[in-house]
Amino acid sequence: MNISILYGTETGNAEMLAEDIQSELEGDHDVSCQNLSDVDPMSLVPEHLYLLVCSTYGDGELPASAQPFAEAMEAAKPDLSAIHFAIFGMGDSEYDETFNHGPKRLAELMLAHGATQIGERVAHDASGPEMAEDLAFPWAEEIISQAEERLGAAA
Amino acid sequence: MSGKIAIVGAGPSGCYLAQSLLKAAPDLEVDLIDALPVPYGLVRYGVAADHQGTKAVTRQFARVFERQGARFFGCLRLGDDVALEDLRAAYDAVVLATGMPVDRPLGIPGDDLAGVFGAGRLTRALYDHPDAETLPELGAHPLIVGNGNVAIDLLRLLAKDPDELAGSDLGAGPTDWLAGAGIESLTITGRSPAAAAKFDPVMIKELAKLGGVSIDVVGTGASDEPDAVKTLDALASIAGHGSGARNVTFRFGLTPAEVIGSQGQVRAVRFTSDAGDETIPCTSVLTAIGFDADPDLPRDALLESATDAGAGALAPGLYATGWFRRGPRGTIPENRADAQALATHILDDLTADPAKPGRAIFEGRTGLVDYDGWCRIDAAETEALPEGRCRAKITTREEMTRLASKGVTTG
Ligand SMILES: Cc1cc2nc3c(=O)[nH]c(=O)nc-3n(C[C@H](O)[C@H](O)[C@H](O)COP(=O)(O)OP(=O)(O)OC[C@H]3O[C@@H](n4cnc5c(N)ncnc54)[C@H](O)[C@@H]3O)c2cc1C
Ligand SMILES: Cc1cc2nc3c(=O)[nH]c(=O)nc-3n(C[C@H](O)[C@H](O)[C@H](O)COP(=O)(O)O)c2cc1C
């Protein structure tokens, strides 16, 4: 399967996790990994499964590197109805009222432009006991098997 | 690309720089040199003990050593243990990332009285920095001067009840000190009006979680400007919060004019304001109004003669990043962006001279701590945890170097 991991980060935690997911999946799939700041929302393609990894900053806002992507999406209003994505969030439950609101916003933005979400949004908590990769690897496996069922292994 | 780069200061700026350099050019020899036996700078000794999520960036920094091949040279103080000229002679590039550690004084009469303490001095003591002075008596009514995030961190820590520190890494000594400090009220003053206060509104909202306090916010004024509205809304959301015994009062628009004492001890601070002079009684004055450079390093001269100070280029083969370059402002992400830009600049400039010895100049030196040594300290700090704590910091250099004792392996 063609997998594009796209990350939105402020201090680099989501970038590290995205690279870890890439290494984990590389043996079985064609995987690329890019910063959302370098991605044009008009360039997304139906042949790829998009795994978004995104943190939260400020008061429940998108991290800096996801903001240009979100702005470009709002400006260009691309039709993403052929696009499939899944999303993994990173946040901190110390910010209880806005816990993982960044990835929530990003998912809503994708959905608002017609994209199809696969699986549940899973959230890592920087104040919790788990390592992000211990949540993210099983999440990625599960997403891929769901995607293979829906899109066919040929994707 | 090959080349030997020494980064002085293993705080977030130095670590992010090493990360970026090695990502772009994995064959570089990158050495992170620090005066302390332990890495991570203010992430370990400044970021609040009850903000562990923010400290999670250290997992990235560990990778820089464990997977990207950077080396750590702890217990090497630039200026004392190694001279800048010697480093520049040994490495293709040297980067200064030593931060801004010195508390900026109030600069008013009485600011040297007993009972006036800088936020850096206090946070170093609270967070068990091995070179910290002891935790002082603050009395029942400390007054905090300053309206940045550091001031709010200090306010929150001092306002917490012992059970509100669960999950933190506040040490046993500071925990006992805090429990016995007998603080009855805390006043925090800012020079600007509330609308222009520098603290992050999210830090203010966090104060609404405090259980043992009652919060008063006095004289906030109004504004339509979006950032100011966020600040004012945050203050409004905590105004009147709680009915705890410990009163917290926010005051604005007060410029400190004089610290008043008797028998050499602080009694009050006199402020000037638009409404005239006002004297607020207190038992101690905690200043959080910024930081200055370490006077042992020629920061001003280096920045003045810099080829491109904005880009962090000081002289051929000599660079600066982080707080050392930009001054004592900005959060961890800003240091990351700064370091990433500097990495590109350094790699553009770099011409490697294979004759330069690099880290070989430290061969045979005793007393240094390498990354494995730090890992042994880290393991000792996290293996037997006291109740409600996620780390028990080793507090002295002697104990740190003893634990790290296998020393540095060069080669
Ligand atoms: C009390 C406090 C709380 C903060 N809380 C937060 C927060 O919650 N979130 C956030 O994003 N930012 C926070 N900040 C800001 C953040 O800490 C800084 O942006 C960041 O640490 C600056 O990084 P730096 O690497 O430039 O400097 P530093 O972190 O200060 O690192 C400098 C390093 O250089 C070493 N060094 C100094 N002199 C020498 C020498 N002569 N030779 C060798 N080594 C030397 C030091 O030991 C240290 O390890 C806080 C700052 C303070 C002061
Ligand atoms: C200033 C600041 C604000 C934050 N705000 C939130 C927030 O509103 N909600 C949340 O869930 N996490 C919040 N976080 C936590 C981060 O999302 C979390 O630390 C994450 O691991 C950062 O990943 P990154 O390095 O990829 O940006 C905040 C962290 C900081 C330092």
Side-chain angles (χ1 to χ4, degrees):
Chain A
M1 176 168 275
N2 275 314
I3 297 171
S4 290
I5 304 172
L6 309 180
Y7 60 84
T9 188
E10 184 111 7
T11 61
N13 295 337
E15 178 173 359
M16 180 167 87
L17 179 65
E19 289 170 356
D20 285 354
I21 298 173
Q22 181 183 26
S23 317
E24 179 73 8
L25 300 179
E26 237 159 18
D28 299 323
H29 305 277
D30 277 330
V31 193
S32 68
C33 181
Q34 264 184 298
N35 193 329
L36 274 170
S37 62
D38 301 329
V39 177
D40 175 357
M42 303 295 278
S43 70
L44 305 185
V45 295
E47 296 75 30
H48 285 215
L49 169 64
Y50 290 94
L51 299 185
L52 308 179
V53 180
C54 182
S55 69
T56 303
Y57 259 79
D59 204 1
E61 281 130 50
L62 288 174
S65 99
Q67 282 176 11
F69 181 83
E71 283 156 21
M73 188 113 101
E74 270 155 6
K77 302 200 178 5
D79 172 12
L80 301 181
S81 54
I83 304 298
H84 290 81
F85 76 98
I87 187 158
F88 186 92
M90 300 188 78
D92 187 340
S93 58
E94 284 281 338
Y95 304 89
D96 46 3
E97 282 175 23
T98 55
F99 180 56
N100 262 279
H101 278 200
K104 187 162 165 266
R105 282 182 191 215
L106 187 60
E108 284 165 2
L109 202 56
M110 295 290 288
L111 292 169
H113 290 83
T116 305
Q117 182 170 354
I118 296 187
E120 293 294 307
R121 178 166 56 83
V122 169
H124 175 255
D125 177 5
S127 290
E130 277 128 339
M131 299 286 180
E133 58 272 28
D134 294 341
L135 292 176
F137 292 174
W139 164 83
E141 293 299 342
E142 170 62 23
I143 294 296
I144 290 168
S145 73
Q146 286 189 28
E148 280 171 344
E149 262 170 44
R150 281 165 76 160
L151 313 178
Chain B
M1 184 185 288
S2 67
K4 303 183 185 77
I5 301 180
I7 301 170
V8 189
S13 301
C15 289
Y16 277 129
L17 179 64
Q19 180 187 56
S20 290
L21 285 168
L22 288 164
K23 205 167 219 179
D27 294 331
L28 291 176
E29 286 178 30
V30 177
D31 295 338
L32 278 152
I33 293 169
D34 206 285
L36 290 176
V38 294
Y40 310 147
L42 286 172
V43 175
R44 182 175 159 97
Y45 291 121
V47 171
D50 59 346
H51 279 176
Q52 290 297 318
T54 305
K55 295 182 193 254
V57 290
T58 57
R59 285 199 71 214
Q60 290 178 57
F61 301 158
R63 295 274 184 97
V64 175
F65 299 104
E66 290 170 11
R67 298 201 192 162
Q68 293 185 282
R71 299 276 290 267
F72 179 62
F73 290 81
C75 290
L76 256 183
R77 187 177 162 78
L78 180 68
D80 291 348
D81 305 314
V82 61
L84 184 56
E85 304 77 73
D86 294 341
L87 274 185
R88 292 184 71 188
Y91 286 86
D92 296 308
V94 174
V95 186
L96 302 178
T98 51
M100 300 279 277
V102 179
D103 282 305
R104 186 167 293 166
L106 280 169
I108 56 173
D111 71 356
D112 55 350
L113 283 170
V116 181
F117 307 106
R121 177 214 193 281
L122 281 175
T123 48
R124 277 190 290 274
L126 272 169
Y127 305 147
D128 285 316
H129 189 293
D131 302 341
E133 296 170 65
T134 53
L135 280 161
E137 289 252 347
L138 301 183
H141 307 287
L143 181 135
I144 300 174
V145 178
N147 262 183
N149 289 340
V150 172
I152 303 300
D153 268 347
L154 203 52
L155 175 74
R156 189 186 64 255
L157 255 305
L158 295 178
K160 279 200 164 178
D161 286 336
D163 61 330
E164 292 175 312
L165 291 157
S168 75
D169 64 356
L170 195 72
T175 299
D176 288 347
W177 173 85
L178 196 55
I183 296 173
E184 293 169 18
S185 79
L186 286 155
T187 303
I188 176 166
T189 66
R191 217 164 38 170
S192 317
K198 287 199 296 287
F199 44 61
D200 181 344
V202 180
M203 299 266 294
I204 296 298
K205 288 191 199 163
E206 188 184 349
L207 301 176
K209 291 189 202 161
L210 294 174
V213 299
S214 57
I215 302 180
D216 290 326
V217 182
V218 181
T220 43
S223 170
D224 306 329
E225 198 266 317
D227 279 342
V229 170
K230 281 191 191 170
T231 304
L232 295 177
D233 285 352
L235 286 166
S237 77
I238 60 160
H241 163 80
S243 52
R246 192 172 291 140
N247 179 258
V248 171
T249 305
F250 279 81
R251 299 289 312 272
F252 302 95
L254 294 176
T255 303
E258 181 189 2
V259 183
I260 300 165
S262 62
Q263 286 136 19
Q265 175 66 37
V266 168
R267 302 289 170 208
V269 178
R270 181 170 62 81
F271 295 91
T272 58
S273 79
D274 289 347
D277 279 16
E278 179 173 347
T279 298
I280 301 180
C282 59
T283 53
S284 54
V285 177
L286 320 184
T287 63
I289 55 166
F291 297 91
D292 288 329
D294 179 347
D296 295 345
L297 297 176
R299 177 173 184 266
D300 290 347
L302 287 169
L303 288 176
E304 252 160 51
S305 63
T307 31
D308 184 353
L314 299 177
L318 183 64
Y319 304 87
T321 192
W323 271 21
F324 185 85
R325 179 179 79 74
R326 301 195 316 278
R329 282 168 302 277
T331 54
I332 294 165
E334 286 168 60
N335 297 308
R336 178 170 179 265
D338 190 11
Q340 288 178 336
L342 182 63
T344 309
H345 192 103
I346 293 176
L347 293 171
D348 282 347
D349 287 354
L350 193 69
T351 39
D353 174 359
K356 295 220 172 192
R359 59 183 65 134
I361 59 165
F362 303 125
E363 225 159 306
R365 283 227 195 187
T366 55
L368 303 190
V369 174
D370 64 3
Y371 184 75
D372 290 339
W374 153 244
C375 289
R376 286 188 280 272
I377 298 170
D378 187 37
E381 290 184 341
T382 48
E383 69 192 358
L385 292 176
E387 171 93 22
R389 292 293 180 269
C390 63
R391 174 181 294 274
K393 282 184 194 159
I394 308 295
T395 60
T396 66
R397 283 173 176 267
E398 293 68 35
E399 182 64 0
M400 287 177 183
T401 42
R402 191 189 65 75
L403 283 164
S405 66
K406 286 191 187 145
V408 165
T409 46
T410 30

